[in-house]
Amino acid sequence: MVIAFLGTTGLGALAPQHAWAQAAPATSATPATPATTATSATSATSQREAEAEAALRAVKASQIAGPTDIALRDQATLKLPAGYLWVPEPAASQLMRAMGNHPDERLLGLVFPQSDDEGWMAVARYEPSGHIPEDDAEHWDIDGLYKGLQEGTEATNEERRQKGFAELAIGDWVEKPTYDAATHRLVWSLSVRHKGAAADAPTSINYNTYALGREGYVTLNLITDLKDIAQDKRHAQALLSALSFGEGKRYADFNASTDKVAEYGLAALVGGLAAKKIGLFALAAGFLAKFAKVIAVAAFGGWAVFKRFFKRDKPQGPQGPQA
């Protein structure tokens, strides 16, 4: 399973496939005067604020608190535990787009902590890839997988540049790829930053979990800060444990004579395909700085995630998001 703040699509994450980043300044084919530039910038900001507020209100109206069962298409069920909030479609996509991401039909929803004391989010997706062969898990080429992630990230950076989004750079492994053949679960994690970010800028952690089924897989990309990963990764693990495929949809239900087999194996879910298809995310500092007032006005349970990230980027002291 995968959250991302946006991987491919934060969350990342939980991208599709684009990191959280502020939109590029508007450009013009002819030189702009200071007055027209200011007017254009004000108009663009107002539009983004309106989109952000509408997204937040949609989230607030549709969020579902655990404990409850969440149907994941016709494939699986997530037994959402108490203390978690589920944001379903279409509100999930609306929020992702307001943050500069481009969700697609694979997005299932978003997960947030209900507690104001926690600051993470997760992006859940379903990929109808076909049955994933698991043979290559016995012979991981860790260096090769890391190189594939670098190449995949660079490939998506080209698209980010074209759309005016900040480029990403991956850091070190936080948790090297591990696969449990008994439960058909894959886990891996690494750090992600915006290219050219200051040394003291937040470092995002993409904690990726995958649950393999008969016809594809569910992914959950949990996005958090480097200093919080030790405590926050338990949430990704709890959500993964709470996920189960339905009768006839489990990995063991695969029928080799009738079922589609994926064109790639487990290694591709960690290598370049992961960066391009699942996505990697970075914290949405630019979004938060622009829309702190909107956040304060339209806050909902779980939005403390973003308020907390915003505060990390502010100078030390009593100041924070102001209404």
Side-chain angles (χ1 to χ4, degrees), residues 3 7 40 63 66 69 72 87 93 102-103 134 167 175 185 193 212 214 223 226 261 276 288 292 317:
I3 157 194
S40 177
Q63 65 186 9
D69 288 356
L72 304 179
V87 177
S93 285
H102 296 268
E134 57 185 1
E167 296 179 48
E175 188 167 324
R185 270 27 177 189
R193 293 170 63 88
L212 274 58
R214 176 181 181 176
I223 311 303
L226 176 61
V261 177
K276 291 185 286 186
L288 297 170

Side-chain angles (χ1 to χ4, degrees), residues 290-313:
K290 285 181 176 293
F291 303 122
K293 184 174 181 179
V294 174
I295 291 169
V297 171
F300 65 99
W303 192 253
V305 172
F306 302 105
K307 291 193 291 184
R308 182 179 177 193
F309 286 152
F310 173 74
K311 290 175 182 176
R312 288 173 181 157
D313 295 333

Side-chain angles (χ1 to χ4, degrees), residues 63-66 80-81 83-87 110-114 300-302:
Q63 65 186 9
I64 301 170
L80 188 73
Y84 296 87
L85 295 172
W86 173 261
V87 177
L110 308 174
V111 183
F112 295 91
Q114 202 162 14
F300 65 99

Side-chain angles (χ1 to χ4, degrees), residues 6-258:
L6 319 309
T8 65
T9 289
L11 104 283
L14 79 244
Q17 296 103 349
H18 302 286
W20 294 16
Q22 65 188 70
T27 58
S28 174
T30 58
T33 66
T36 57
T37 299
T39 300
S40 177
T42 300
S43 176
T45 298
S46 298
Q47 181 178 352
R48 289 195 294 269
E49 287 178 347
E51 291 173 354
E53 185 169 2
L56 289 172
R57 297 196 185 285
V59 167
K60 185 175 182 179
S62 63
Q63 65 186 9
I64 301 170
T68 189
D69 288 356
I70 304 295
L72 304 179
R73 305 275 169 85
D74 62 343
Q75 293 291 320
T77 297
L78 174 65
K79 291 188 173 296
L80 188 73
Y84 296 87
L85 295 172
W86 173 261
V87 177
E89 286 284 61
S93 285
Q94 189 174 352
L95 181 60
M96 294 277 278
R97 285 191 293 268
M99 294 173 179
N101 294 280
H102 296 268
D104 59 21
E105 69 280 357
R106 294 172 296 166
L107 182 64
L108 297 171
L110 308 174
V111 183
F112 295 91
Q114 202 162 14
S115 170
D116 288 349
D117 297 327
E118 298 182 73
W120 56 267
M121 77 170 277
V123 179
R125 294 185 180 85
Y126 173 67
E127 179 69 41
S129 61
H131 191 75
I132 300 288
E134 57 185 1
D135 301 345
D136 55 359
E138 299 177 3
H139 309 286
W140 291 125
D141 176 5
I142 299 299
D143 292 339
L145 294 177
Y146 185 83
K147 182 179 180 181
L149 280 167
Q150 287 180 314
E151 294 173 348
T153 302
E154 284 304 312
T156 59
N157 276 339
E158 174 60 30
E159 186 176 358
R160 291 188 179 97
R161 284 192 296 270
Q162 294 174 3
K163 294 182 179 296
F165 298 148
E167 296 179 48
L168 296 181
I170 65 172
D172 296 330
W173 292 111
V174 174
E175 188 167 324
K176 293 183 178 180
T178 58
Y179 180 70
D180 186 338
T183 61
H184 311 292
R185 270 27 177 189
L186 169 67
V187 177
W188 60 271
S189 177
L190 49 64
S191 59
V192 181
R193 293 170 63 88
H194 286 130
K195 276 190 175 181
D200 59 350
T203 297
S204 304
I205 300 300
N206 283 232
Y207 194 89
N208 302 277
T209 62
Y210 301 68
L212 274 58
R214 176 181 181 176
E215 300 169 340
Y217 54 92
V218 175
T219 68
L220 177 67
N221 184 350
L222 183 142
I223 311 303
T224 188
D225 189 89
L226 176 61
K227 69 181 183 63
D228 297 321
I229 184 58
Q231 64 186 30
D232 287 350
K233 69 179 182 179
R234 62 187 172 87
H235 296 295
Q237 295 164 349
L239 292 169
L240 184 63
S241 297
L243 170 71
S244 60
F245 281 91
E247 187 73 24
K249 301 294 185 178
R250 297 167 300 192
Y251 194 85
D253 295 325
F254 173 68
N255 186 331
S257 63
T258 61

